[in-house]
Amino acid sequence: MDFVIRRAYKYRVYPTKAQSSNVENQFSMCRHLYNRSLAERTDAYEKDGVTVTYDQQQNSLPELKKKRPWYRGVYSQVLQDVLRRLDKAYQAFFRRVRTGGKPGFPKFRKRGQWNSITYPQYRKRPDSVITVPKVGKVRLVYHRELPEDATVKTLTITKEAGRWFACFSAELPFTAEPEQGLSDPLGIDLGLTDFFYASDGSHVPIPKYFRKKEKQLGRLQRRLAKSEKRSEKYYKILKAVRKCHYRIKCQRSDFLHKTANGLLKKSGLIFYEDLRISDMMRRPKPKQDEDGKYLPNNASAKAGLNKSIADAGWGKFLYILKYKSRCLGKKLLAVPPQYTSQTCSACGEIVKKALAVRTHRCACGFVANRDLNAALNILRIGMDTLQART
């Protein structure tokens, strides 16, 4: 089956000092436009009960440029994209309200919280030098070839931890691989001791990138808190904090992609638990006695667990597995997570055990690693579900 897919191609760019200053000024103006437009929407609704739309704000941009000429330093389509981001934030807010989720009303952006500009109709292909409107020619490291049949749709210039990047969103025709046979099916159990344990006995230790850098980050953040705000020292330490976070992000992303590739090379059919990761990371509800006094609710221990789950990156790993398996013509199916760790994979009996107990022991004589037992159950449930469908 042929269809068109969108892919992002990210390249390192090296703007001059003048160009860097120019783009950072554009970031600031985009942030001010976002905050101004958000205030306009909220004021209109609170005072007059009127909803200001994206089209109305977009049509007012020419008049705004006359009143505030400094906005002319930003490309017109970049300003339109800022308003589009605000409109998307509003639509997401209303969607969460309708579905009963946490509302999360759009917030005003503080200084330093805007680090990208997007050119929605950029069509030029990348090369060793790219021409960016209102910026000029910028040197680019063309380390990855863009396919000849790819059509560039947008360009986004971002700054991450002091590094500049150009991200091209491109459309390219894609022919999906024919669905392969159910070769070497695997069940995987995601965990915090091992990143995953597979039903064939293979497992990958969890790298804990954030945990390894936690002390270093703590020292930097304490120094940042003690330094004078907006001083030279403050920005120097802030840069070091961002660089540390950026390195953790890159290491985790690299690990998740390589782990997903390794799994998909081994198996054409993978089953996993359908975990509600956001619910697992939700803080515990406060407990009160009859007099209204708050009781211990194990919140500190839960916070440590939440940090470990976030550090593992289960959600991103499953997202990577899903789109890679689809492109390769392989299957990835979710199974219910209930009792996968408690059920004996040999006889089916329920053997209750605490989370700290890492070995499964059953009266039938079956002894195995707790996560291996869960992976075997996930594989069995998945195969039973698949057979029931066919």
Side-chain angles (χ1 to χ4, degrees):
M1 178 182 175
D2 294 339
F3 53 92
V4 175
I5 62 169
R6 274 262 181 135
R7 280 189 176 168
Y9 293 82
K10 192 174 182 180
Y11 303 94
R12 184 80 183 269
V13 292
Y14 291 90
T16 63
K17 287 185 178 180
Q19 289 172 337
S20 299
S21 178
N22 180 6
V23 179
E24 285 175 347
N25 286 336
Q26 292 191 42
F27 288 169
S28 179
M29 285 185 277
C30 289
R31 181 177 68 87
H32 280 98
L33 177 63
Y34 183 93
N35 290 342
R36 179 188 179 280
S37 304
L38 176 57
E40 182 184 16
R41 286 195 176 207
T42 53
D43 291 346
Y45 185 79
E46 289 174 358
K47 292 178 182 178
D48 305 321
V50 177
T51 301
V52 179
T53 65
Y54 163 75
D55 290 333
Q56 290 173 326
Q57 292 187 320
Q58 181 191 17
N59 294 336
S60 67
L61 281 177
E63 188 64 29
L64 181 63
K65 285 183 179 180
K66 291 179 182 178
K67 293 180 180 178
R68 303 185 179 187
W70 52 86
Y71 278 120
R72 294 175 185 171
V74 186
Y75 194 57
S76 58
Q77 292 179 7
V78 171
L79 296 176
Q80 292 169 12
D81 182 72
V82 172
L83 299 178
R84 198 172 290 113
R85 289 192 203 184
L86 175 61
D87 191 59
K88 286 181 180 178
Y90 259 88
Q91 298 304 324
F93 164 72
F94 291 126
R95 184 174 62 251
R96 287 190 294 269
V97 170
R98 285 195 302 269
T99 57
K102 191 176 180 180
F105 189 79
K107 296 180 180 179
F108 291 98
R109 300 296 183 92
K110 298 178 183 178
R111 180 182 174 185
Q113 290 185 340
W114 196 281
N115 61 351
S116 68
I117 53 175
T118 299
Y119 299 86
Q121 295 182 16
Y122 193 89
R123 296 293 180 266
K124 297 178 182 178
R125 295 172 65 87
D127 203 342
S128 58
V129 175
I130 58 170
T131 303
V132 183
K134 299 287 185 179
V135 178
K137 293 184 177 181
V138 182
R139 187 163 63 90
L140 177 143
V141 180
Y142 194 48
H143 71 281
R144 182 185 180 191
E145 195 75 25
L146 191 71
E148 292 183 2
D149 55 355
T151 304
V152 175
K153 306 299 287 185
T154 66
L155 166 65
T156 302
I157 303 295
T158 63
K159 186 180 182 183
E160 298 180 51
R163 297 173 175 86
W164 292 93
F165 297 93
C167 185
F168 294 86
S169 176
E171 282 186 354
L172 58 160
F174 180 76
T175 303
E177 291 286 336
E179 199 170 274
Q180 302 175 5
L182 307 182
S183 59
D184 303 318
L186 276 181
I188 59 169
D189 178 61
L190 300 175
L192 298 177
T193 304
D194 293 290
F195 181 72
F196 76 80
Y197 222 110
S199 53
D200 63 353
S202 62
H203 55 97
V204 173
I206 197 161
K208 299 182 180 178
Y209 293 116
F210 178 79
R211 291 291 190 181
K212 290 175 182 177
K213 292 281 188 180
E214 196 170 10
K215 287 186 179 178
Q216 179 186 349
L217 268 173
R219 287 195 298 268
L220 288 171
Q221 287 166 341
R222 283 193 295 272
R223 288 176 58 196
L224 184 67
K226 292 177 182 177
S227 61
E228 184 183 351
K229 289 286 180 71
R230 308 196 189 287
S231 64
E232 186 178 347
K233 181 182 177 182
Y234 175 85
Y235 285 114
K236 185 178 179 180
I237 300 171
L238 180 62
K239 183 179 178 181
V241 171
R242 288 173 175 171
K243 186 176 180 181
C244 192
H245 277 295
Y246 177 73
R247 183 156 184 81
I248 293 168
K249 170 191 166 184
C250 291
Q251 288 176 326
R252 185 186 294 121
S253 181
D254 180 69
F255 166 76
L256 296 177
H257 277 278
K258 288 179 178 176
T259 305
N261 289 338
L263 263 178
L264 292 169
K265 283 180 182 178
K266 288 170 58 176
S267 174
L269 176 62
I270 299 173
F271 300 102
Y272 68 96
E273 288 180 305
D274 189 13
L275 300 173
R276 295 184 177 180
I277 300 171
S278 58
D279 290 348
M280 293 172 67
M281 295 177 63
R282 189 168 292 170
R283 72 171 62 178
K285 292 181 180 179
K287 294 181 181 179
Q288 292 178 288
D289 59 13
E290 296 176 353
D291 299 327
K293 184 180 179 181
Y294 285 98
L295 301 173
N297 64 344
N298 206 27
S300 58
K302 186 67 169 63
L305 179 64
N306 293 349
K307 191 183 292 184
S308 295
I309 294 173
D311 190 18
W314 292 343
K316 186 174 181 181
F317 175 70
L318 294 174
Y319 170 77
I320 292 169
L321 264 183
K322 285 174 185 176
Y323 83 76
K324 284 181 181 286
S325 61
R326 185 184 178 190
C327 292
L328 295 172
K330 300 186 177 185
K331 274 191 175 182
L332 184 71
L333 298 175
V335 303
Q338 288 80 10
Y339 297 104
T340 53
S341 296
Q342 309 291 346
T343 305
C344 178
S345 58
C347 66
E349 289 295 320
I350 300 292
V351 183
K352 292 189 177 181
K353 45 190 173 290
L355 189 62
V357 179
R358 305 310 304 168
T359 303
H360 170 81
R361 299 179 187 275
C362 184
C364 70
F366 180 69
V367 179
N369 181 285
R370 175 196 180 103
D371 296 335
L372 174 60
N373 176 67
L376 291 168
N377 282 323
I378 292 168
L379 175 63
R380 174 184 54 80
I381 297 169
M383 293 301 292
D384 290 347
T385 306
L386 201 62
Q387 289 175 2
R389 289 180 183 176
T390 57

